[in-house]
Amino acid sequence: MLILYNAIHLLFRAVYLLLFVRVIISWIPHDRYHPLVEKLYALTDPILEPFQRLLPPQSIGIDLSPIFAFFALNLLENAVFSILF
């Protein structure tokens, strides 16, 4: 049971890290079509796009989707752990 707990926890931490890297990369000039950046976008877009549809970045001038994604992931992680453990 501990192995499952650690695996799920590690998975969520990896997603948090990917989102964090995406936020940091958005602050600096980067090549959107670099293979690593493309992979990062491919992994994080499915998480961010639902929140971007709710509150498009153009409407307020800043993309708040990562904040909502972190919050939703935290809720999801807590729900998964409370159901399984």
Side-chain angles (χ1 to χ4, degrees), residues 30-85:
H30 62 279
D31 178 10
R32 171 69 172 89
Y33 299 103
H34 186 279
L36 289 176
V37 176
E38 280 186 334
K39 189 66 170 170
L40 178 67
Y41 275 63
L43 291 170
T44 56
D45 274 347
I47 299 166
L48 295 175
E49 283 177 352
F51 301 106
Q52 289 170 341
R53 282 193 299 268
L54 288 174
L55 186 62
Q58 298 83 9
S59 65
I60 60 171
I62 188 169
D63 187 7
L64 297 176
S65 62
I67 295 170
F68 291 116
F70 281 119
F71 182 71
L73 282 170
N74 188 29
L75 290 176
L76 179 62
E77 182 179 15
N78 289 336
V80 167
F81 285 140
S82 68
I83 290 170
L84 294 178
F85 306 104

